[in-house]
Amino acid sequence: MAPALVYALLFAAIALEVIGTTALQLSQQFTRVGPAVVVVVCYAAAFYCLSMTLKIIPVGIAYAIWSALGIVLISAVGLVYFKQRLDAPAIIGLGLIIAGVLVVNVFSKSISH
């Protein structure tokens, strides 16, 4: 599998997870059927896409990228769409998550660049 395709699948997994998590908030504890169905479909598709990346990217690295970018993106969705404010420690923590993913991707020999 080509590296570009692997990362496309990883980013698809991240996008699906963010959509699923957004729908989870909208499902109101699974009391709204439409958003609840979106949650299940998106999470299943996200895990499928993530599993495909594991043919090339080590599980720890793939999961670190997936979870870190998911955290940052869903925080942005919460801020913009749900009007959930982040305080300074939350913003600093998100910055550290981003820094960690950058360090892994730029300097680690565990993944092919």
Side-chain angles (χ1 to χ4, degrees):
M1 188 179 310
L5 179 58
V6 172
Y7 280 97
L9 284 168
L10 182 56
F11 290 121
I14 293 164
L16 287 161
E17 187 265 335
V18 170
I19 293 166
T21 302
T22 302
L24 185 61
Q25 175 75 26
L26 296 172
S27 77
Q28 297 177 358
Q29 295 76 43
F30 284 90
T31 59
R32 297 180 60 217
V33 175
V37 169
V38 172
V39 171
V40 173
V41 170
C42 284
Y43 279 2
F47 278 105
Y48 175 77
C49 289
L50 179 63
S51 74
M52 296 303 291
T53 69
L54 301 181
K55 292 179 179 181
I56 304 295
I57 303 173
V59 67
I61 303 298
Y63 193 77
I65 296 167
W66 182 64
S67 60
L69 291 180
I71 289 167
V72 171
L73 291 173
I74 200 62
S75 295
V77 168
L79 179 68
V80 172
Y81 190 73
F82 297 116
K83 307 297 185 222
Q84 299 170 340
R85 300 288 171 221
L86 299 173
D87 60 9
I91 293 169
I92 292 168
L94 290 171
L96 290 170
I97 290 169
I98 292 168
V101 169
L102 288 173
V103 166
V104 166
N105 279 288
V106 172
F107 299 110
S108 176
K109 291 181 174 47
S110 297
I111 58 175
S112 57
H113 295 281

